[in-house]
Amino acid sequence: MVKSTSIAQEITNTIQKTIGVESAVLHEPEFSGNEWKYLKECLDSGFVSSVGKFVDRFEKELSDYTGSKYAVAVVNGTSALHIALKLVGVEAGDEVILPSLSFVATANAITYAGGIPHFADSESKHLGLDPFALRDYLKTASEIKNGKCINKFSGNVIRAIVPMHTFGHPVMLDELISVAHDYRLSLVEDSAESLGSLYSGKHTGTFGAMGILSFNGNKTITTGGGGAILTQDENFAKLAKHLTTTAKIPHRYEYVHDQIGYNYRMPNLNAALGCAQLEQLPNFLESKRILFEKYKSNFQKLKGIQIVSEPERCKSNYWLQTILIDKEVEHMRDEILNVTNDNGVMTRPCWRLLHTLAPFLKSPKMDLPIATSLEARLINIPSSPKLIGSEI
């Protein structure tokens, strides 16, 4: 039997060989375009907060890039999801289906809207919600009454479903849209990680009633902190803009607010950074794809390890490169994490399953065998586009 330290060292060596350096962080931003120029323009103009030309420009360019009719820039992806859930009608006591294999922000946003996270299983190729397991579950756990999906056990309305595109790999959207339709669920895409990812040639975040993006410092492009709401619905877009600007009725000097709003506006400084980053996005995506191909070639030589690749019908942005260790060696995961990090190669496990976290222990859930297996076997490895350097 091969010792865990041997496998861990082989993985470390493979990563170092692929990236051409001995140490690397998981994902870091790259500022090699007009970032300084646009930020200086903000400073020179004095428009550094929520008013300024770069906010409008960033929203327009996001809309053009993703194919969404409307984009509303906000302070982060969590606030974007919060507002999107409110707009599709999530109310206090409503349940919202989401994968247990997700970042905690997905569940947090549901609770901000007054909802109750209802955890569902994932499938192994897309790493996202399993539409077939979910349909089977809803057949027995829910019923349609007066046009609403009702949880038979809690009596609560199941209002929406939030698929999350894990590490940038699109979920099985056609099948999930079918489930949402049959069970009267609004579909809101958590596309925080998937800017640049396509499903059947269409950008993620544009399939449901609404979608959201994140531009945190570790994302494919960054605005420092920031997010966006995507929608094809003009009324949703107008209301999203209104609610995220404290629900203030436009007036040149009066302060009148017609409902509870939120100070979720993206500052002009952040939007300026985003505009510069968007200009470089095609190169970032190409670098990430080249990095994936190099990892794929080198990891093929290791037994018990596979690199996660884009599923059928999908074009992934490869936000985070990910390896999946075989079940026979999953007990070696922590050893792999320790050895790689001790050697300067930053690796991370995937998130703790959300239903196991203290705030969500009493939340409803289906059986989660695949998510449980994936949690034990997924490891993220260095993924920055700058690791490719001048190869493109």
Side-chain angles (χ1 to χ4, degrees):
M1 181 177 178
V2 180
K3 292 182 180 180
S4 59
T5 51
S6 175
I7 292 177
Q9 192 60 55
E10 286 183 7
I11 291 173
T12 302
N13 295 341
T14 299
I15 294 172
Q16 290 172 331
K17 175 184 177 181
T18 302
I19 62 179
V21 291
E22 291 189 357
S23 63
V25 300
L26 192 65
H27 197 285
E28 60 181 324
E30 181 174 347
F31 304 122
S32 54
N34 287 315
E35 287 88 355
W36 283 105
K37 176 183 176 182
Y38 294 164
L39 288 171
K40 185 177 186 304
E41 188 174 333
C42 280
L43 295 174
D44 290 343
S45 71
F47 289 102
V48 297
S49 191
S50 58
V51 176
K53 74 173 188 178
F54 284 108
V55 175
D56 292 339
R57 174 179 164 181
F58 188 51
E59 290 177 338
K60 175 64 166 57
E61 291 178 356
L62 280 175
S63 177
D64 292 342
Y65 181 83
T66 61
S68 180
K69 287 185 179 179
Y70 306 98
V72 178
V74 292
V75 291
N76 52 53
T78 311
S79 61
L81 186 54
H82 174 203
I83 295 300
L85 290 167
K86 286 183 67 67
L87 292 182
V88 299
V90 173
E91 300 175 346
D94 288 348
E95 295 178 12
V96 177
I97 294 170
L98 74 159
S100 186
L101 182 66
S102 184
F103 183 56
V104 70
T106 313
N108 285 344
I110 292 168
T111 64
Y112 297 166
I116 300 169
H118 189 146
F119 297 109
D121 203 14
S122 300
E123 52 81 41
S124 57
K125 290 185 178 180
H126 295 248
L127 307 181
L129 278 177
D130 185 336
F132 303 107
L134 179 59
R135 182 179 288 277
D136 289 343
Y137 171 70
L138 289 174
K139 284 179 182 177
T140 59
S142 71
E143 57 186 341
I144 304 299
K145 287 185 178 180
N146 300 319
K148 298 178 181 179
C149 183
I150 306 297
N151 184 330
K152 288 182 180 179
F153 305 104
S154 67
N156 296 325
V157 173
I158 305 177
R159 184 73 65 182
I161 178 172
V162 182
M164 194 275 289
H165 304 294
T166 310
F167 308 139
H169 300 295
V171 300
M172 302 174 73
L173 279 162
D174 286 341
E175 294 81 359
L176 284 170
I177 289 169
S178 177
V179 172
H181 174 269
D182 292 347
Y183 286 89
R184 314 299 194 271
L185 305 173
S186 295
L187 190 143
V188 176
E189 290 177 72
D190 183 345
S191 307
E193 302 173 358
S194 62
L195 179 65
S197 296
L198 307 178
Y199 178 85
S200 295
K202 185 179 177 182
H203 200 283
T204 53
T206 63
F207 287 81
M210 307 191 82
I212 68 98
L213 298 169
S214 172
F215 311 113
N216 190 31
N218 65 345
K219 294 299 191 293
T220 304
I221 71 166
T222 184
T223 58
I229 300 166
L230 303 178
T231 184
Q232 311 295 349
D233 188 297
E234 183 179 5
N235 290 327
F236 276 161
K238 288 180 177 178
L239 190 51
K241 193 70 171 178
H242 184 58
L243 288 178
T244 57
T245 54
T246 67
K248 181 180 182 295
I249 297 175
H251 192 280
R252 62 177 182 168
Y253 55 80
E254 290 285 1
Y255 289 87
V256 179
H257 307 260
D258 60 355
Q259 55 186 300
I260 299 296
Y262 303 87
N263 189 7
Y264 284 171
R265 298 167 291 183
M266 175 180 281
N268 198 43
L269 278 170
N270 299 79
L273 188 61
C275 289
Q277 289 272 287
L278 268 178
E279 293 171 351
Q280 301 166 81
L281 180 56
N283 284 339
F284 293 165
L285 295 174
E286 187 176 355
S287 293
K288 285 177 165 293
R289 187 161 291 272
I290 292 171
L291 182 60
F292 162 75
E293 293 295 343
K294 291 182 68 175
Y295 274 135
K296 181 180 178 181
S297 176
N298 289 332
F299 272 108
Q300 283 177 344
K301 303 165 188 174
L302 296 186
K303 293 182 179 180
I305 308 293
Q306 59 178 299
I307 189 84
V308 175
S309 60
E310 63 192 5
E312 293 182 5
R313 296 183 286 172
C314 301
K315 185 173 183 178
S316 298
N317 66 359
Y318 289 110
W319 169 54
L320 287 185
Q321 312 285 349
T322 307
I323 58 173
L324 181 68
I325 60 178
D326 287 354
K327 292 181 180 179
E328 291 75 16
V329 293
E330 68 178 47
H331 62 283
M332 301 178 181
R333 189 201 71 166
D334 287 357
E335 180 73 20
I336 294 167
L337 291 167
N338 285 327
V339 171
T340 50
N341 282 282
D342 287 347
N343 282 272
V345 174
M346 184 181 289
T347 59
R348 291 290 184 269
C350 83
W351 316 280
R352 293 284 180 92
L353 295 183
L354 296 181
H355 76 279
T356 68
L357 301 181
F360 309 116
L361 291 176
K362 295 182 180 180
S363 296
K365 64 181 184 297
M366 63 185 286
D367 290 336
L368 302 162
I370 303 303
T372 300
S373 178
L374 289 172
E375 179 198 28
R377 299 189 293 129
L378 288 170
I379 297 175
N380 296 128
I381 59 180
S383 308
S384 306
K386 64 174 58 179
L387 293 173
I388 293 301
S390 60
E391 290 192 24
I392 62 172

